[in-house]
Structures are given as structure tokens and as C-alpha cells.
Amino acid sequence: MSSDGIKTVITYGTFDLFHIGHLNLLRRLRGLGGRLIVGLSTDSFNALKGKKTIISYQDRAEIISALKFVDSVFPEESWEQKREDIVRFGADIFAMGDDWKGRFDDLSDLCDVIYLPRTRDVSTTEIKQIIGNLRDDKLLEVKRSAENLLSLINGM
Ligand code: C2G
């Protein structure tokens, strides 16, 4: 606990294509303590994770920093930096969504480790799939129109 008696909460994530699930989580995390610090995965770290982000690190950082319940954002560049970050920021609570349940229990010698239920039925992966399907539908539509046009021209 810092000298001002405010509990510091630390979390990590990519937060690509920011959606209500991300918002709900960050708002609830802020409710656990008076200060929320977010480790935001860089684009190169995501490449390491095998993830391709749509929104750049710089823009994602600006979006997350603009949220009234986020106090600061810093780059997450490796899996190993969490222990150092917790000490550096004096974090009292480390928290993630429960898709990470148990994965960071080893940090519990430094601070409380909490997993919160995810928001159901929304994810960046699903949004990417929907956009991909829309694109495929559009391509199909264009292809069909081109074929129709071609058969019209050939029919002349
Ligand atoms: N989340 C949620 N509800 C959803 C989707 C996501 O509560 N419907 C939470 C996740 O559980 C996570 C946070 O939002 O705690 C960010 O999710 P991602 O951007 O997918 O995070 P990820 O890329 O998995 O990065 O070192 C840990 C990694 O940085 C986590």
C-alpha cells in the first residue's frame, strides 16, 4: 500500500479493437483499488504471442490512457517483466480476466492475485471473424456481379 493509503491495481493486455468486455474489466479493476496501471502489450510482443493486432500500440495506448479510470499505461514487452513491474509500481493487486485463471498465481508472494469473470459473448477474435466474413461476403457479391456482367457481354 502506497503512503497515500491508495491501493494500486496492475493488469496486462492487448486491448485490440477495444470493446465492452475490455471496458467492463478495466472499470471493475479500478473498483478494486484507487489506482489502476495497465501493462499494454507492444506490437512486437504480440507478434511473439502469435497475435497480429489491428490497432497499433501507440493508438491502443492513447485509447486506454483516455479512460477516466486508468491512471497510467506502460509497455508490456515480455512475459517475464511482471515481477519487476509489481515492485516498481508498488502494486497491491495483480488482476486479469479469468481466461488467465491460475496462470499468474506465482506472483502471490508479491501482491494479491485476482481473476475476474470475463464479459461473455464478445471478444476481439470474434470481431475479427465477423469483419472477415463481411469482407468474404462482399468479395462473393462482387465476383457474382462480374460473372453476370461477363455472361451479359458474351450473350451480345
Ligand atoms: N477480457 C474480458 N472480457 C472479454 C474479453 C477480454 O474480461 N470479453 C479481458 C481479458 O480477460 C484480459 C483483458 O480483457 O484480462 C485483455 O484481454 P486481451 O487484450 O485479449 O489480453 P491478452 O492479449 O490475452 O494479453 O501478459 C498477459 C497478456 O498481456 C494478456
Side-chain angles (χ1 to χ4, degrees), residues 106-119:
D106 61 308
L107 302 170
S108 54
D109 60 318
L110 294 173
C111 62
D112 297 342
V113 175
I114 296 175
Y115 305 96
L116 295 181
R118 280 169 63 90
T119 300

Side-chain angles (χ1 to χ4, degrees), residues 138-153:
K138 198 73 205 159
L139 280 175
L140 207 57
E141 204 186 299
V142 170
K143 189 168 168 284
R144 287 219 180 93
S145 319
E147 280 162 0
N148 291 343
L149 198 57
L150 215 57
S151 60
L152 269 178
I153 292 168

Side-chain angles (χ1 to χ4, degrees), residues 13-23 25 40-41 46 49-56 60 63-64 99-100 118-133:
T14 304
F15 301 102
D16 191 24
L17 300 177
F18 195 80
H19 55 68
I20 193 66
H22 296 143
L23 189 70
L25 181 86
L40 190 65
S41 307
N46 274 312
K49 290 188 212 170
K51 262 188 166 183
K52 174 92 186 62
T53 45
I54 306 282
I55 313 290
S56 72
R60 287 182 284 118
I63 291 165
I64 303 283
D99 49 325
W100 292 93
R118 280 169 63 90
T119 300
R120 299 158 66 95
D121 305 326
V122 61
S123 76
T124 303
T125 309
E126 277 170 35
I127 295 170
K128 284 181 184 171
Q129 263 151 16
I130 292 165
I131 294 169
N133 295 345

